[in-house]
Amino acid sequence: MIPTPPAGTVPGNASGGASADRLLLDLAVSDVRQHVYCPRIPYFRLGARLPHRYVTGAMQEGILEHQRTEALEQRRGLRAYGLSDGERSFDVRLRSERLALGGRLDMLISRSSEAIPVEFKNTRAALGLHHKYQLAAYALLAEEQLARPARRAFVYFIPLKHAQVVEITSAVRAYTKRVLNAIRASVAGEQMPDGTRILERCRVCEFLPYCNDRW
Ligand code: SF4
């Protein structure tokens, strides 16, 4: 089970969400994933507006593998997810005006009692916190769009042909909303956040030239 980061590691209001009289910076689910990976990455893109590579070679290969997996998934049943029923939709656009958040989800399983987001990952590496909160953001969008609860999500590991469940608890939801607030606060305040403490991420980061406190 992946732990929830301790409260207070991200600045912002725990309740999150938009109010009618505030114009919120529009964010993508990938911004949530990037912030949890390293808070500076969405800041550099959205705040400092630095140019960046949208699609690297590795990402291009990942996109192709996603497409192959989607084609296979359409023929497969729901056994990998331990489900006996559910309607699958692929490459689903999700959007919440209330949260000012949107994204494209690999697969959405719709059941009468719940919505279940699924992301395909082309890796054998253990599920990272950034992927966990990416799924949580999709869950917030899916339950609003389908008007039914999203209490769990899955990551489907393509090389392993294995699905791992992620529980969308109240703590996970609250942290996801704090991430949204933290991204917006750093952009609005022009405050560069601290970078990741995991320096190996910096070695392969396109923004390393702007992080001269790393080495
Ligand atoms: S170089 Fe490191 S600290 Fe800077 S943006 Fe990249 S991952 Fe974050």
Side-chain angles (χ1 to χ4, degrees):
M1 170 111 181
I2 294 175
T4 301
T9 55
V10 178
N13 182 341
S15 63
S19 66
D21 56 354
R22 278 189 303 155
L23 189 60
L24 293 178
L25 174 67
D26 208 52
L27 295 177
V29 170
S30 57
D31 296 322
V32 173
R33 186 193 71 236
Q34 289 175 344
H35 179 95
V36 176
Y37 185 84
C38 174
R40 283 187 184 175
I41 293 177
Y43 176 79
F44 282 148
R45 287 199 308 97
L46 300 166
R49 294 185 178 273
L50 294 177
H52 70 104
R53 291 168 291 162
Y54 278 96
V55 181
T56 64
M59 287 164 69
Q60 187 64 46
E61 176 51 35
I63 290 167
L64 292 173
E65 195 56 44
H66 268 63
Q67 289 167 350
R68 289 192 283 268
T69 301
E70 182 179 317
L72 277 173
E73 275 287 326
Q74 304 211 27
R75 297 202 295 272
R76 268 200 286 259
L78 289 163
R79 205 173 44 180
Y81 307 96
L83 299 170
S84 56
D85 66 274
E87 186 179 325
R88 289 168 299 166
S89 308
F90 296 90
D91 195 20
V92 180
R93 283 186 188 277
L94 296 170
R95 169 90 201 147
S96 165
E97 295 304 328
R98 184 179 59 84
L99 295 172
L101 181 68
R104 270 170 74 165
L105 174 66
D106 289 336
M107 186 169 87
L108 179 61
I109 303 174
S110 175
R111 308 179 78 210
S112 59
S113 59
E114 61 178 337
I116 308 175
V118 181
E119 273 288 281
F120 305 143
K121 298 291 179 202
N122 192 21
T123 177
R124 293 173 181 272
L127 183 69
L129 280 176
H130 51 302
H131 289 136
K132 173 179 175 176
Y133 288 98
Q134 177 189 21
L135 273 166
Y138 280 130
L140 295 178
L141 296 179
E143 64 186 4
E144 186 173 320
Q145 198 153 311
L146 269 62
R148 66 195 72 168
R151 303 183 200 92
R152 55 181 169 165
F154 285 97
V155 175
Y156 183 81
F157 291 95
I158 296 170
L160 302 172
K161 297 183 170 51
H162 169 70
Q164 179 179 336
V165 70
V166 174
E167 303 291 345
I168 310 298
T169 63
S170 55
V172 168
R173 291 163 191 273
Y175 187 79
T176 307
K177 291 176 182 175
R178 288 206 298 275
V179 168
L180 296 175
N181 287 346
I183 297 170
R184 290 177 176 129
S186 67
V187 171
E190 300 180 12
Q191 291 287 322
M192 184 169 76
D194 289 339
T196 177
R197 293 186 197 148
I198 305 172
L199 291 183
E200 64 195 42
R201 292 178 176 172
C202 302
R203 289 196 191 98
V204 294
C205 177
E206 65 186 285
F207 295 118
L208 179 59
Y210 303 97
C211 290
N212 56 12
D213 57 343
R214 292 287 101 175
W215 274 284

